[in-house]
């Protein structure tokens, strides 16, 4: 049996009386897309934040590539190979699209403490940045100001920046939001391939994408994982239908 | 980019032509004003690296300006009385050589910036402003009580310090020295902004979350910027002391910090020539309006208010429009 790339064990996190993570365990294996679904406020983004190091769990343990990272900070975990996208875009809005991608390439290659040379002429950074933009379909927009991008394009750029890091695993928080039908189809096809480069923990509300892509699905409700399994398992699960998918059918 | 380049070129031309004209018509006072502009601009260029590029609102840059000034004052005063600074554990003597003084000023203010930055950069927002202010005031009160170097009254240096091959007593030659330094530092600042470090620092100003996610520590980027920034402002302090041949705790007061910030805001925060334009405008206003009314700073206040409210890019922004992201 291969080792999981990511292993979350019994994570608990409360905000006052609210249990945002209630004994959450899940793992991510090489080559896999593991989707994390659940209603709004279920605690999906909170879990991603704890995996990335932006938020300390109250208890529990997080392992990345077999190493306990529970006490490491965001920077150390990023260096280990976490490629994360934010649900609410966190990009340098004054930068061009290309500059944001170059920033990723720069961070991943540890070149931030170079004080000379034009960073936007450095081919070792430009090449991976351009390639990442191309892969998400933003190459035409490379010289646009990030603040001028549409919501969907910002989501694409989030993914592109994560690509420049050449991470060991991806944590994507609702990458499809705001993309529109064509865009999410293209991204679905892209993620389908991407899983072979590095496994993906995918938080997504777009059920078509989730059921098309996920090898496994975990359902989070009120901070608790109520079910984990293949798409068929989840579709057939009565509790899931009641708690979550039922709402979708009704809508 | 075109318009800003042209504006900057016009600024440089004015800075060269005005003193040249003053020199030909024997108006040494104008030359002194131009020297003051160059030195204060240099202090602003330093602050602009922390403020414009790094988004660090430091209200304590007078500390570095003053440390640069006192580096000059202490070294030169020992040189003029021919008494060593210390004899044990090793002998350190004073000097009247500008290059040595500059080096000491840069190293001392960089060190101070490293300590102040390491402590204050753990906070942000209003707390950061307050802590930098507090450090500045601490040094200010220390200087007041430091009677060995003039205490409250300050310290006069009788003769301007020397630079090999230049007659520093000739106003136009001293101005030339200041221009060369300002020019070199502007080139450095421009390159820094375009460098990998500049990109990362600028990103940390906009979103530190993103910077961490790509594996960089915002604190380290900011501390480095703060040290570079403090060192440049310290160098300006040493030159300012040489211009006046006088140092006093005023150089360290929060009023001085405020003035340096005013240069940057007037000209344009984050604009390469912002502090140059700001310092020139400030000195011009002080010179023109200061003669008319003792309350000229009220006008300055109104101008500052208008710029903060309506022209976020300062005077340069108002004239040349929004900054184009570099490519
Ligand atoms: N820092 C915080 N302090 C207090 N409560 C928080 C904090 N962060 C999140 N919460 C709460 O925790 C719960 C889970 O939030 P989270 O953002 O993880 O949900 P989510 O599953 O990502 O929802 P969505 O699908 O809307 O993105 C919500 O009720 C939210 O209000
Ligand atoms: Mg969320």
């Amino acid at each position: 049996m291969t080792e999981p790339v990511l292993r979350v064990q019994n994570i608990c996190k409360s905000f006052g009386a609210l249990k945002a993570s209630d004994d959450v365990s899940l793992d991510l294996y090489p080559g896999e897309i593991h989707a994390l679904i659940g209603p709004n406020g279920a605690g999906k983004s909170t879990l991603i934040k704890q995996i990335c190091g932006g938020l300390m769990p109250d208890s529990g343990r997080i392992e990345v590539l077999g190493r306990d990272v529970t006490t490491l900070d965001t920077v150390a975990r990023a260096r280990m190979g976490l490629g994360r996208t934010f649900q609410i875009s966190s990009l340098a809005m004054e930068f061009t699209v290309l500059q944001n991608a170059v920033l990723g390439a720069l961070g991943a290659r540890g070149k931030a403490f170079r004080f000379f040379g034009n960073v936007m002429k450095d081919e070792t950074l430009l090449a991976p940045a351009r390639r990442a933009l191309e892969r998400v379909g933003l190459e035409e927009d490379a010289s646009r100001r990030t603040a001028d991008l549409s919501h969907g394009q910002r989501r694409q750029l989030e993914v592109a920046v994560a690509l420049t890091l050449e991470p060991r695993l991806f944590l994507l928080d609702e990458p499809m939001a705001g993309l529109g039908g064509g865009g999410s189809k293209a991204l679905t096809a892209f993620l389908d391939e991407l899983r072979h480069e590095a496994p993906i923990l995918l938080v997504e509300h777009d059920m078509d994408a989730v059921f098309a892509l996920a090898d496994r699905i975990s359902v989070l409700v009120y901070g608790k994982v109520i079910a984990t399994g293949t798409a068929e398992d989840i579709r057939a699960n009565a509790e899931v239908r009641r708690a979550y998918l039922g709402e979708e059918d009704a809508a | 980019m075109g318009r800003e380049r042209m504006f900057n070129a016009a600024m440089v031309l004015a800075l060269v032509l005005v003193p040249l004209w003053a020199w030909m018509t024997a108006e040494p006072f104008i030359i002194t004003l131009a020297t003051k502009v160059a030195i204060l601009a240099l202090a602003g260029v330093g602050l602009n690296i922390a403020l414009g590029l790094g988004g660090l609102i430091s209200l304590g840059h007078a500390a570095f300006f003053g440390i640069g000034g006192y580096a000059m004052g202490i070294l030169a005063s020992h040189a003029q009385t021919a008494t060593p600074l210390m004899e044990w554990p090793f002998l350190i003597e004073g000097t009247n050589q500008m290059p040595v003084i500059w080096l000491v000023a840069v190293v001392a203010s960089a060190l101070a910036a490293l300590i102040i930055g390491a402590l204050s950069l753990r906070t942000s927002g209003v707390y950061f402003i307050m802590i930098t202010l507090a450090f500045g005031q601490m040094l200010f009160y220390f200087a007041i009580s430091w009677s060995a170097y003039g205490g409250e009254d300050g310290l006069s240096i009788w003769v301007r310090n020397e630079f090999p091959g230049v007659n520093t007593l000739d106003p136009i030659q001293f101005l030339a020295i200041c221009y060369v330094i300002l020019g070199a530092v502007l080139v450095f600042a421009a390159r820094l902004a375009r460098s990998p470090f500049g990109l990362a620092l600028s990103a940390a100003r906009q979103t530190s979350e993103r910077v961490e996610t790509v594996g960089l520590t915002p604190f380290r980027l900011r501390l480095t910027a703060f040290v570079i920034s403090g060192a440049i402002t310290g160098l300006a302090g040493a030159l300012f002391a040489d211009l006046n041949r006088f140092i006093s705790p005023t150089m360290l007061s929060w009023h001085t910090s405020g003035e340096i910030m005013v240069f940057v805001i007037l000209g344009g925060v984050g604009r390469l020539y912002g502090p140059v334009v700001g310092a020139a405008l400030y000195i011009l206003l002080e010179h023109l309006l200061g003669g008319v009314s003792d309350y000229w700073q009220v006008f300055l206040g109104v101008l500052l208010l208008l710029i903060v409210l309506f022209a976020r890019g300062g005077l340069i922004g108002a004239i040349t429009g929004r900054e184009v992201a570099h490519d």
Side-chain angles (χ1 to χ4, degrees), chain A residues 74-75 78-79 86 90-96 99 103-104 106-108 111-115 117-120 145 158 161 165, chain B residues 188 191-192 194-197 199-200 202-203 205-207 209-217 220-221 224 228 322 325-327:
Chain A
T74 307
V75 173
R79 293 215 176 125
F86 293 87
S90 175
L91 297 159
M93 289 297 166
E94 296 167 23
F95 280 180
T96 63
Q99 281 177 315
L103 176 70
L106 174 77
K111 282 194 171 179
F113 284 86
R114 303 211 174 165
F115 302 95
N118 188 338
V119 68
M120 299 310 286
R145 241 171 86 99
E158 284 270 341
V161 176
L165 305 178
Chain B
F188 170 78
R191 297 194 60 178
L192 188 74
R194 266 189 267 116
S195 72
F197 174 78
L199 188 82
S202 175
R205 181 190 74 237
Q206 299 171 58
T207 157
E209 202 177 38
R210 161 62 57 201
V211 170
E212 288 176 27
T213 308
V214 302
L216 300 172
T217 312
R220 283 213 240 154
L221 294 166
T224 308
I228 295 172
R322 196 169 78 175
H326 68 239
D327 45 21

Side-chain angles (χ1 to χ4, degrees), chain B residues 190-266:
Chain B
R191 297 194 60 178
L192 188 74
R194 266 189 267 116
S195 72
F197 174 78
L199 188 82
L201 178 65
S202 175
R205 181 190 74 237
Q206 299 171 58
T207 157
S208 49
E209 202 177 38
R210 161 62 57 201
V211 170
E212 288 176 27
T213 308
V214 302
L216 300 172
T217 312
F219 175 78
R220 283 213 240 154
L221 294 166
R222 292 185 181 128
L223 184 57
T224 308
F226 199 70
V227 169
I228 295 172
S229 167
I232 293 172
T233 302
L235 179 59
L239 289 170
F240 192 71
D242 238 325
L243 172 67
N244 300 321
R245 273 165 281 166
F246 176 68
I247 56 158
S248 80
T250 311
M251 284 184 81
L252 289 156
S253 74
W254 67 269
H255 186 248
T256 302
S257 294
E259 273 182 6
I260 300 174
M261 190 170 288
V262 165
F263 307 147
V264 177
I265 295 173
L266 274 182

Side-chain angles (χ1 to χ4, degrees), chain A residues 211 214-219 227-237:
Chain A
F211 283 112
D215 299 292
R216 286 190 300 155
I217 300 173
S218 289
V219 184
T228 296
T230 63
E232 285 72 48
D233 297 340
I234 296 300
R235 272 211 185 89
N237 187 308

